[in-house]
Amino acid sequence: MKWFGKCVDYFFTGMGFGAICYVCILTFLYPGIAPTVRETTSVLVISGFIGLISMIFETDLPMSIAIIIHFVGTFCLFVVMALINPRWVINISTIVVFVLIYVIIWLICLLEQKKTVNRINDRIKKRNLK
C-alpha cells in the first residue's frame, strides 16, 4: 500500500508541474488561444506519467544515468502528447521550449531538495544542542 501511495503522490506532483507549465505556455507564448478538453486532459494524464518516471531517482542507478533515462522518457511522452493533440507541432522551437522547461523544473526540484536538507540539518543541530 505504501508503494501505491508513493505512485499517486508522484503522479499528482507531475500533474501539478504539467498544469503550471501548460497554463504558462498558453498565457505567455500563445495568448488568446483557448485550451481544448483533449489538450488539457492529455497534459494532465501524461504529466502524471512523467511524474511516475521521476521515481527512477529513488533507484540505485547513478544520477547521470537516471537523468538521461528521465529526460528521454519525458521527451517521448511529450512527443506522444503532441501526437494526441492535432494543433501541436514538434519543431526546433518546441524542442527548445521543452528543454528550457525541463531545466527550470530541475532547478525548482533542486532548490526544494536543498531547502528540505537544510531544514532537516537545522532540526538535527537543535536536537544535538539539547
Side-chain angles (χ1 to χ4, degrees):
M1 192 60 164
K2 200 177 209 181
W3 182 80
F4 179 74
K6 186 174 274 198
C7 287
V8 169
D9 185 44
Y10 273 83
F11 190 87
F12 280 110
T13 300
M15 284 177 70
F17 276 113
I20 291 167
C21 292
Y22 183 52
V23 168
C24 288
I25 288 170
L26 284 178
T27 302
F28 299 112
L29 297 180
Y30 302 103
I33 295 180
T36 65
V37 172
R38 173 189 244 175
E39 290 170 348
T40 303
T41 303
S42 70
V43 166
L44 292 175
V45 171
I46 292 178
S47 294
F49 287 129
I50 291 170
L52 288 175
I53 291 174
S54 299
M55 292 178 78
I56 195 164
F57 296 111
E58 293 194 13
T59 66
D60 292 332
L61 286 172
M63 184 60 98
S64 57
I65 301 296
I67 289 172
I68 291 168
I69 292 170
H70 185 266
F71 180 83
V72 170
T74 301
F75 185 75
C76 289
L77 286 170
F78 170 73
V79 169
V80 167
M81 195 171 8
L83 293 172
I84 290 171
N85 299 295
R87 295 193 302 177
W88 296 19
V89 294
I90 299 288
N91 56 31
I92 192 70
S93 63
T94 56
I95 292 171
V96 168
V97 169
F98 170 83
V99 171
L100 182 64
I101 290 171
Y102 190 86
V103 169
I104 290 169
I105 290 173
W106 256 105
L107 291 173
I108 291 168
C109 290
L110 288 174
L111 290 171
E112 186 62 33
Q113 281 182 339
K114 184 177 179 182
K115 183 175 139 186
T116 300
V117 168
N118 288 341
R119 192 173 346 135
I120 291 169
N121 286 338
D122 288 343
R123 287 182 185 167
I124 291 171
K125 286 178 188 175
K126 285 179 184 176
R127 187 179 315 152
N128 288 339
L129 291 174
K130 292 182 180 182

